[in-house]
Amino acid sequence: MVKACLQYYPVNKKNDAAFFCCTATGIGEFAFEKVSEKGQRGIVHDVFNRAVNIILSDGSLLSILDDQFLTIPFGVSVVLDSSYSFRGKIHAGDFVCIDNNKLLVKSAGFQTEVLLPREICFTKNQIFSFQAIKKPFISLIPDWVKMRGKKGGFFALYRSLGFTQGNYAEEVNDAICDYAADRINNLSSFLVINDLSNSVENLLQLVGLGNGLTPSGDDFILGFLAFLNSVSEPIFPEKFMENVRREMSGAIRNRTTTVSEAYLISALDGQFSEKLTTFVAGFFTNDSEEMKKFANNLIDVGSSSGIDMILGCLFAIRLYQTKLTKNT
Amino acid sequence: MPLKIVVKKNEYHDSIQLMRISEELRKISGVEQLMVIMGTPSNKHILKNMYLTDENVEVAGKNDMIVAVKAESENVLENVLLSMEKLFRQGEEKKKNQRVHYSIEAAMKALPGANVCLISLPGEYAIEQAAKALDLGLHVIIYSDNVPLQDDRAIKELAKEKGLLCMGPDCGVVNINGVAFLTASVVKKGPVGIVGASGSGTQLIAALVEREGLGVSQAIGVGGKDLKDEVGGLSMLSGISALENDPETSVIVLVSRIPGNKTLAKILEKIKQVKKPVVVYFIGGDAEIIKNYNGVPATDLEDAALKAVNLVLNKPLNKREFSLSSADIDKIISGETQLMRPEQKYLRGLYCGGTFCDEAIAQLQNSIGDVFSNAPGSGKFRLADAYVSHEHTVIDLGDEEFTMGRPHPVIDPVPVRMAILREGQKTDIAVMLIDFILGPAINPNPVGSVISQIKEVKEIQRNAGGYLSVIASVCGTEGDPQNLSKQAKMLEEAGVIVMPSNAQAARIAGLITKKCSSV
């Protein structure tokens, strides 16, 4: 991921259309790969206040989003004025072209131009030894979630999935959560005995499960994969996770929302959002304040997306603990 | 049973918003099942398992939102769909009408002349913004909790230095110049000023003052931790000074849990210096000490309100046990106990207001003895698990065990509902004691949110050959959007005994329980 210096261009008149131009401050690996392809074209899929999703001609997703979200694998980050909104300036169906390191969105009466970085220096996901994990952080997380006033999603299952650390309880009375709890419990059992096909089957049943732009099941999987991706000790037989990823990649299309699918595809390729990556790395720092900051950044993502990812991480940590204990 | 499926193409909504809308729609009478969900294969699988599917669901895409509802009639279905559209529209309108400012300075530019800043941020960020507001010359109300005590004190010292009021952290009830902030009730203006470290206590005193025909000049909330020695009661002391200098205030009322020793000494000293009468209700406080410092001690929240009113009206300060005659009270007790089974012996109190919970325990101990609770200060009668009652039990549903990760029960009624169902079905329960709190910023229909559960448990006890006595009090005013009379009427129609104050409700609940325990 790259952080370029911020450069603003004033809103101006150009060809009788209002014009907004800025330099990207960050770009994900997947996005960099895509914008580097010559003559890339796309169509705006959906527009939010602080983000625009574009479907490229090969069907993949590219997002322009406010820097406050930090970098995501398929995202181009820009710094927006606090009052700036893409709504009304860009519309679903608008044509997008990417040429000469510029991303241009033409809309009726408005043009948006993002100057893309020419060079990047990737911060690869770091790999840690599980033995170095700071266990006290695990029990602090439920309190941090509570302090941010977050609830819902699959994190509501925290207690019913048998997590006992910290002081978090939410009553669950929801058909989706009940179904998810069964899938997650099954997943745990099958991963412990290295049952590939049943593990994949239960992961796939979580895909697209829940509500919102990124359903809770997908966010849970992202958290789970992000943690596994960052730890060095092998807990599965050789090529087990490779096979899980391969089978998931083959079966994931059209199982979830477009945005969520892009996150999952990137995750299966080992790429995660900056907020999730730094959160996982936080478990291996010595600084609890730093970890709290990383956790809060992730907790604040979406209405429940962040805490669903956290649940996925905690699930992965518990799996590590179980399997390492079993192996010794 | 008719089923209606609506698919909204390529539509996303925030999942918490969908949860709230679903909750509202499920309340419509005649709705059997309802799901609002994205059209992903996994979600469609769930709908299929719930028999909430048709050909529209089959063809819905992964980016489409599906609304599936099963109801007792086509009319109900129509009603649900109309209500749903209205709720989505309301959300959009609300967003459009919101004036969002990204800094206190920007908000001040947009609203020149504002002199109060309300801060509701996670605790760790609240103090920095409060300091900024004070620097800009604004009084502050800090709703946030989880603020360390040293920060609580520091921000109050800054306010004192600047001659401004710092209401909070952890402050939920404030009425300033007739404006109800946060969870306060809408109260008429009048001569009684209140300074409270207890939100629900402040609110009930204000409401009862209005019911007695007067009104409130200012109700200054100071936050639950203000009277701890680490903070030193700085806001209560400033509040007393403000009311002393306020020409519209004739009598001052102070309400709190018992302060730290050093702070108590400072407050008492201040009371002694104040020229206006000061009524004091410190739960568990020593009445004689308060009298020694020229304070007027009260025995409960209602007593505090009545004493304040009587001081203004220059009437005798008599205590009132019940608003009804003793003959009427006896009649209620006998009516409520005659149909109970012999094993129905125990009282279960379900409270949203922390101070009401403490007050109820204090009242009940006089009539039925030991009361188990999750409330702080329960000592050896503290419940091991707040979800498991034991003999006479009073539960504070606003405690962290129930609010962890979800809004307070005055906003989100789910913990109250669950507790009613959990406790109301037990074979040994005789009396359920329950409080309701009204106000513009809280649950728009607190009684309506749980009334079907109350009816259900009453029915369960009736079917088991017994009777469940439900005693309630409603803290609020006629001016509150929920309307005091309407909420009380809803309870009475369900066979609930509604008392005019929490103390009276607890007293009569104690007498009913005592009678069935002695049979």
Side-chain angles (χ1 to χ4, degrees), chain A residues 205-241:
Chain A
Q205 285 172 3
L206 287 170
V207 173
L209 191 65
N211 259 323
L213 192 60
T214 55
S216 294
D218 300 347
D219 291 323
F220 175 87
I221 295 172
L222 291 181
F224 171 65
L225 291 176
F227 191 85
L228 256 52
N229 204 52
S230 299
V231 179
S232 56
E233 285 90 338
I235 53 165
F236 294 111
E238 209 183 334
K239 300 212 168 167
F240 179 85
M241 275 316 289

Side-chain angles (χ1 to χ4, degrees), chain B residues 81-92:
Chain B
L81 295 179
L82 285 172
S83 305
M84 182 185 73
E85 291 303 335
K86 199 173 152 195
L87 288 167
F88 278 126
R89 258 201 320 275
Q90 274 173 359
E92 289 303 313

Side-chain angles (χ1 to χ4, degrees), chain B residues 263-277:
Chain B
T263 308
L264 179 63
K266 281 188 213 163
I267 302 281
L268 291 171
E269 209 47 59
K270 179 81 179 171
I271 294 169
K272 202 173 181 180
Q273 292 162 11
V274 172
K275 304 270 184 313
K276 295 177 182 175

Side-chain angles (χ1 to χ4, degrees), chain B residues 417-482:
Chain B
R417 264 187 225 150
M418 304 301 284
I420 291 171
L421 292 174
R422 197 167 53 238
E423 296 301 329
Q425 298 184 46
K426 293 191 173 156
T427 51
D428 59 359
I429 184 171
V431 178
M432 180 178 282
L433 176 61
I434 187 162
D435 69 337
F436 293 94
I437 301 178
L438 315 183
I442 57 180
N443 182 347
N445 188 3
V447 173
S449 302
V450 302
I451 198 73
S452 59
Q453 283 73 28
I454 291 177
K455 286 177 186 167
E456 190 178 335
V457 290
K458 273 185 156 277
E459 181 71 23
I460 288 169
Q461 294 294 348
R462 203 166 21 248
N463 291 340
Y467 176 81
L468 176 64
S469 175
V470 182
I471 311 293
S473 64
V474 185
C475 171
T477 65
E478 298 300 329
D480 282 327
Q482 300 92 341

Side-chain angles (χ1 to χ4, degrees), chain A residues 4 22 28 37 42 54 57 81 95 100 105 113 157 221 247:
Chain A
C22 69
E37 288 172 18
I54 297 160
S57 37
D81 259 355
F95 181 71
N100 299 322
V105 188
E113 195 174 293
L157 294 169
I221 295 172
E247 292 199 22

